[in-house]
Amino acid sequence: MLIYLEMIETPEDKDKMDELYQYYRNLMFSVARKIVGNDKDAEDAVGNAAVKIIENLEKISEIKCPKTKSYVVTIVKNKARDINRWKNRHPQVEISEGLQGEYVEYDGGDELTQCILKLPDRYRDWMMSRYGAGGEVCSMEETAELFDLSMEAAYKLDQRAKKKLEELCKKEGIL
């Protein structure tokens, strides 16, 4: 919570947000947990909701009232749903602890997949996140946000990754 309080400029608003968070945190977590189904994502939803609440703190006049409770619950529900939508668009594969940081050999797939797997890590991660499996394409904005990049940097990374992939495909004789 201390990190979120650093976003707030005035001491009065910091106190207001701290009181609001202390009063509603269990409710927020419970609501988020019901939607996302696990503690980790519920914590993320509550954190995202806290940021949204801070951005709109001036809209809250009284902390312990039904209107504020409804507002807080609505925000945390929306943030939890955002997490579920993101997870549905970007399925994750669990990696066992024994494999983390290790190179994993992939025997299946076509020649293009093999070329993608030979890309440097950053380019490979970009291509997999942006263009994904099964032909599902994520927007440049979504992928830039995922990689914490400006749009200009995202376009440049996309361009470089495609160029490197093209070079690998030519080298392998599939282009």
Side-chain angles (χ1 to χ4, degrees):
M1 182 61 194
L2 292 174
I3 294 171
Y4 300 122
L5 290 177
E6 292 302 316
M7 296 173 57
I8 303 171
E9 294 178 16
T10 67
E12 296 81 24
D13 283 348
K14 283 183 183 185
D15 291 342
K16 182 179 184 180
M17 182 60 195
D18 186 43
E19 183 181 348
L20 184 136
Y21 180 79
Q22 296 302 324
Y23 190 76
Y24 290 110
R25 72 178 174 196
N26 292 333
L27 174 64
M28 292 169 69
F29 184 80
S30 175
V31 167
R33 177 77 170 76
K34 286 178 186 172
I35 294 170
V36 297
N38 66 67
D39 290 352
K40 181 189 164 298
D41 289 337
E43 289 171 5
D44 288 345
V46 170
N48 294 342
V51 171
K52 186 70 173 178
I53 291 167
I54 288 169
E55 291 171 354
N56 296 287
L57 201 54
E58 72 280 353
K59 294 180 181 178
I60 299 171
S61 57
E62 189 179 335
I63 292 174
K64 298 176 183 178
C65 73
K67 183 178 177 183
T68 301
K69 180 179 179 180
S70 175
Y71 182 68
V72 168
V73 167
T74 300
I75 289 175
V76 81
K77 279 182 178 180
N78 289 337
K79 294 304 177 182
R81 290 178 184 135
D82 288 347
I83 288 171
N84 278 344
R85 273 192 296 274
W86 190 91
K87 285 173 59 177
N88 288 335
R89 278 189 250 138
H90 304 90
Q92 302 290 309
V93 177
E94 289 292 324
I95 298 177
S96 69
E97 286 190 32
L99 294 178
Q100 288 182 352
E102 300 287 328
Y103 176 76
V104 178
E105 191 80 29
Y106 180 76
D107 294 327
D110 59 9
E111 295 162 323
L112 178 60
T113 302
Q114 292 299 322
C115 287
I116 292 171
L117 292 172
K118 290 179 184 176
L119 287 170
D121 291 347
R122 184 148 173 90
Y123 294 161
R124 183 184 61 242
D125 293 345
W126 176 267
M127 295 298 282
M128 297 301 285
S129 298
R130 173 96 163 93
Y131 301 103
E136 183 178 329
V137 177
C138 288
S139 71
M140 185 66 76
E141 291 81 11
E142 288 175 321
T143 315
E145 185 178 326
L146 178 67
F147 280 70
D148 195 27
L149 296 172
S150 68
M151 287 305 295
E152 183 178 323
Y155 280 110
K156 195 64 171 171
L157 179 60
D158 192 65
Q159 180 184 27
R160 289 178 179 159
K162 286 177 183 176
K163 184 175 184 309
K164 185 69 173 174
L165 180 60
E166 180 181 18
E167 290 170 5
L168 285 171
C169 287
K170 285 180 180 177
K171 183 178 174 184
E172 295 295 321
I174 61 173
L175 274 184

